[in-house]
Amino acid sequence: MRIQLAIAPCLLLFGALLPLSAQTAVQTLNGTYDRDPKQPIDEAYTQKMKQYTTDPKFTSALVDYLPASKTVPTPEKVLGDVAGAADMLPYAEDVAKYFRLLAASTPRVQVVSIGKSEEGREMIAAAIADESLLKAQTENNARLAKLADPRTIGLDDAKARPLIDASYPVYYITGTIHSSETGAPTALMELAYRLAVDDSPYIKYIRSHMIVLITPVVEVDGRDRMVDLYKWHKAHPGEQYPRLSYWGHYVAHDNNRDAMGMTLALTRNVLDTYLGWHALVLHDLHESQPFLYDNTVGDGPYNAWIDPLLADEWAELGWNNVARMQDLGMPGVFTHGDFDTWSPGYLMFLAGMHNGISRLYETFGNGGADTVKRILKPEEYSRTWYRQNPPLPVVTWSQRDNNNYEETGLLTTLQYFSHNTHHFLENFYLKSKRAVNKATVDGPAAYVLPSSGAELNRQIQLLQILGRQHVEVSRLSVEQTVKMPAAKRGDPPVDEKLPAGSFVVRMDQPYSRIADALLDRQYWAPDDPQKHPYDDTGWSFSQLFNLKVDRVVDRTILTAKMDAVTDPAALAGKMDGSGDVVAIASSGQSSLLPLLYELKDAKVSIAEKPFEAGGVHFAAGTLLIGEAKEDQLAAALKKLSLDATRLSAMPTVAMHAAHAPRIAFMHTWLGTQTEGWWRYAFDNAGVPFTYMSTQAVASEADLRAKYDVIVFAPVGRASALDILNGMPKYGNALPWQKTDLTPNLGLLDSTPDTRVGLGYDGLAHLRSFVERGGLLITCEDTAQFAIDTGLAPGVTVAPKGDAKVVGSVLDTVFVATASPVAYGFGKSVPVMSSDGMAFNVSNTLGRGGGRVLMDPYSDRPTGRGSVDDSDVVQGRAPAEPEALVKQKPWEPKALNEDELRNNISVLPAGDRPEVILRFAEAKSLLLSGLLDKANGIAEHAVVVDAHIGTGNVLLFATIPIYRGETVGTYPLVFNAIMNFDHLRAAAVK
């Protein structure tokens, strides 16, 4: 085998330099992919494959035929045609049906159910290998489990060697997480058939040395909707067809950003399967680049928490894969690219952060099964150092072409992997061992969440995410003193006492890297060579959950007495004290609003000021509950991870009654993904709402009669005109409805025409809703919409200057500390900012007059003296100007007597916008991620309460609800909803 590995690169290089005909000769000479001449070919199926392949260059000798079998059905059995055929897409259940047919016809295939989607559709995994390997999988899995957790063998290499020698790896392939990328299911159906049936020596070697595990459809809900849309398209030739308004139940493209928050069923199902089988690789198939981009190598910066061995494996597998496909004469195959490998949020990264190998293909999909002419962009077909044989600039491209590339890429990489299984098993063990040794080698030793009743609710939610990541959590049984770095660099370490009950995430465990990546801070240098980050640059869960989390490098923490925590939620739900009044202190929990819906029959009030009772301090926003049923209250506290205190009497503090608000979620048909994260947060918390489109708002004149709060979550780069006008209406209607043809559409919402927007009637209805006491919550582009349409008088979007923010965690400071929105918070809270958006506020309507153009405190005109002196006008006595009030960046310009006189643009005092939260000063603004030129946004407002009539429009420039990662700022939204009818009262006070 060593001789083969030494010769292969020479052959590959030689092959890449030869014309196609000569390359075939080289391939025949080296024999790597030779077929079994004794095995018959399915001539009819093979002929159809060639028919659907648009150019011989777009296939290879590995996939230009299909072996025949008398007992094992080909994909045609279910599809009615070959894999990759034109004009046909199978539903997820049809794909699963085929895999089960395979399993029923050959002992080389086993199919298991790996879970359900949010809408109840099944996800499957198919294991393919020789019968002997599958029969021995239980024993093999036990060996792999020991390699995955070397603590079980005492980190002893001598014990690891026989396990490695006896084991065979599992290579996990996943397809179609992105619903508009349609080719992978049929490619994987045919790949499974080849692996099970083909007797080519290289495939027999794969079967006998490894298990290939396949989940052909990851996003099963979105797949079925995409097939519906494609059927609609084929039934309406010559017409425009609707966009895929919904993929999964909650989100679309962002389902591939859930590997940190673990919110979606598909993410949890894939990780549980990956770890349950102890797979070495997770290889995810996507379709957005011509013709095959193996982004395994990617580009910098690489994630700072991966094992360096992983980076070496990326290079080894990526470059080898490209070279093999170049040898086969297939143009447009490359690696490297401009995809930075920084964020661990992608599905494939589940492997990379759990001691495996993360891989991803981007192939060239048509968003359906049409065969069409594709015209590439210059940057796609240009030759560059890492793409010496680039894609052709103009092609006729079919789904079969796409399948050819997917299958060829996978077969060549499986062939390489099968001949190097021992090497990759060694690396798997070494990465796992190094993850366990992390606590005593590179550190830290642990992360500690100090015991805190105020933070317990959020701590539990963070620990539950770590649990989904299969990270072990412990809890101190006694107080422990550790050395912590001093606040000032260079000073000696200081002692910190960690109280009993503190949670400890030890770094001497197999999956320490994902815990480290989530709990640590991130820093992206402004002068990094990568100028276009692919996704968020900061994501520290310690910060985004608004928690105190100590990064402990002192190894004595590892010897402290602690117990394993298996169910963090079991630690909450307690009720202390005695009396008929129950108090639940407000401390930034995200569960107070859901409690109102759990206790609909109880009498609940909200304290407007802090108070003392029974020797305990309670903050403003504390819930005071009376007349609640004991069993109902106890169950609700347990369910929502809330602790409570009984009081002997109702405290004498200003309070107002709290009722379960009637909430509506308003969405556009322009995009539903970002608001999907908000829907997930509300559903997961247990906050009910009515889901309605902008079209429904346009047809409902009296919104206030039905709703108290309307949430208008971000659309995603939509302008006010986009929201008002909807999509262009030059062609036919674009329906999203459940019909016999499209049974999977219209389940969340439906419309006969997705092109119709809010319109000016809808805008008027929204305005009337707010004027009559309703609360409209907006964020990012919907906040801009509120500003541009006059729903937020006195508020404008602040210019950012040259400030640069890309998905970063920034610090903020509360301005209106008495606002109900601020209940339960301290002086500041970390926030997620997409791009540094912020607001200016003014005491007048319109865009002018809101700021001082020349600040006399920082600028002076040319004249006598120094920069600190005043000019002197010659020939007259000095005349002092009217004193100017210096405003802060978050404050409105103070109006003098002259500016107030007969000025109809001046907002009445009670109607002026109230700044609730602002960015911190420049030097302390960045917490995690990328921030450059911070002065452009520092100290500007980011949460503002604007007023119309008797209602409120709450505007967020940051993202309080995002990807299940920002639990620390959920209460900003939930507080506003709980107190929707007392926001203005607080401002007046």
Side-chain angles (χ1 to χ4, degrees), residues 59-124:
T59 189
S60 71
L62 285 73
V63 297
D64 65 356
Y65 73 97
L66 196 78
S69 172
K70 295 180 179 179
T71 58
V72 181
T74 72
E76 190 171 14
K77 177 73 173 180
V78 169
L79 300 178
D81 207 332
V82 304
D87 307 323
M88 177 273 300
L89 293 178
Y91 285 107
E93 48 268 43
D94 291 329
V95 177
K97 177 182 177 181
Y98 176 70
F99 277 90
R100 287 199 163 95
L101 283 177
L102 276 181
S105 63
T106 172
R108 294 172 178 171
V109 179
Q110 292 180 0
V111 175
V112 294
S113 178
I114 65 172
K116 297 289 184 68
S117 70
E118 283 80 3
E119 296 178 2
R121 292 180 178 86
E122 183 189 32
M123 293 175 62
I124 66 162

Side-chain angles (χ1 to χ4, degrees), residues 875-889:
R876 76 181 196 198
E880 293 298 323
E882 184 79 16
L884 293 175
V885 178
K886 182 172 175 59
Q887 68 199 73
K888 301 293 186 181

Side-chain angles (χ1 to χ4, degrees), residues 7 92 260 299 398 441 463 595 719 780 792 870 896:
I7 294 174
M260 290 189 281
D299 196 2
S398 69
V441 179
L463 296 178
L595 187 64
S719 69
E780 295 190 315
S870 298
N896 62 34

Side-chain angles (χ1 to χ4, degrees), residues 613-663:
V616 179
H617 177 79
F618 294 90
T622 292
L623 298 189
L624 298 166
I625 304 170
E627 302 177 10
K629 297 178 181 178
E630 285 295 320
D631 56 345
Q632 188 181 45
L633 176 60
L637 293 177
K638 200 69 180 174
K639 175 182 178 181
L640 300 174
S641 299
L642 292 170
D643 290 337
T645 304
R646 288 191 175 278
L647 306 178
S648 58
M650 187 68 71
T652 56
V653 63
M655 65 182 74
H656 59 264
H659 306 286
R662 303 166 300 168
I663 303 171

Side-chain angles (χ1 to χ4, degrees), residues 747-826:
L747 303 180
L748 287 165
D749 201 357
S750 64
T751 177
D753 192 355
T754 57
R755 299 174 303 164
V756 180
L758 175 68
Y760 288 93
D761 286 345
L763 178 61
H765 297 165
L766 275 182
R767 185 179 186 91
S768 173
F769 166 79
V770 176
E771 288 176 337
R772 295 170 55 196
L775 168 63
L776 175 64
I777 297 177
T778 64
C779 180
E780 295 190 315
D781 58 353
T782 61
Q784 176 80 69
F785 159 81
I787 291 168
D788 292 345
T789 56
L791 296 176
V795 186
T796 56
V797 174
K800 289 182 289 190
D802 54 359
K804 183 177 182 180
V805 175
V806 182
S808 301
V809 187
L810 305 180
D811 202 10
T812 61
V813 176
F814 280 97
V815 176
T817 55
S819 168
V821 178
Y823 284 167
F825 287 96

Side-chain angles (χ1 to χ4, degrees), residues 662-664 690 692 700 702-709 769:
R662 303 166 300 168
I663 303 171
T690 298
M692 60 194 304
E700 182 65 62
D702 192 359
L703 294 166
R704 187 67 184 91
K706 294 183 177 181
Y707 309 110
D708 303 309
V709 179
F769 166 79

Side-chain angles (χ1 to χ4, degrees), residues 349-387:
F349 238 101
L350 293 173
M353 302 311 292
H354 291 82
N355 304 322
I357 304 171
S358 48
R359 299 197 65 191
L360 187 149
Y361 282 170
E362 295 280 5
T363 56
F364 202 33
N366 287 340
D370 290 2
T371 299
V372 294
K373 178 180 178 181
R374 300 295 299 273
I375 303 172
L376 276 61
K377 301 173 184 176
E379 60 267 26
E380 292 176 320
Y381 63 76
S382 61
R383 184 181 63 83
T384 186
W385 70 267
Y386 58 83
R387 191 172 56 208

